[in-house]
Amino acid sequence: IKAGVPVVPGNTEGVKDADEALAIAAQYGFPVLLKAAAGGGGKGMRIVNSDAEFDEQLERAQSEALASFGDDAVFIEKYITSPK
């Protein structure tokens, strides 16, 4: 971001609060990708297509992130369905 390189829209701080996470997701528009802030290798990642499934997918992502990395904070970014 500092270098001016285009990036996928998303937050840069890990989020733990469900209401805050949903507000961020709504800001970017669905679908969004939830990603474990402390993670890697695809653990703690969930694609969320609508606000109706957001709470369940957030709970799953946070649970997996906590179990795998000891931290349940997540990043939220716009999910790009057709990158080309």
Side-chain angles (χ1 to χ4, degrees):
I1 293 173
K2 286 182 182 179
V5 176
V7 297
V8 174
N11 72 318
T12 57
E13 300 286 327
V15 178
K16 294 185 178 198
D17 180 76
D19 291 333
E20 181 183 359
L22 181 56
I24 293 168
Q27 175 186 345
Y28 296 117
F30 291 95
V32 296
L33 181 64
L34 305 176
K35 297 168 62 172
K43 289 192 178 276
M45 293 178 70
R46 294 286 185 278
I47 299 168
V48 184
N49 292 299
S50 70
D51 59 351
E53 64 183 61
F54 188 83
D55 288 341
E56 179 183 348
Q57 294 300 345
L58 177 63
E59 204 172 288
R60 289 180 177 187
Q62 287 182 312
S63 176
E64 188 173 340
L66 186 60
S68 298
F69 309 112
D71 185 355
D72 66 350
V74 296
F75 295 127
I76 299 129
E77 64 183 44
K78 181 70 178 164
Y79 182 70
I80 309 299
T81 56
S82 299
K84 291 187 176 187

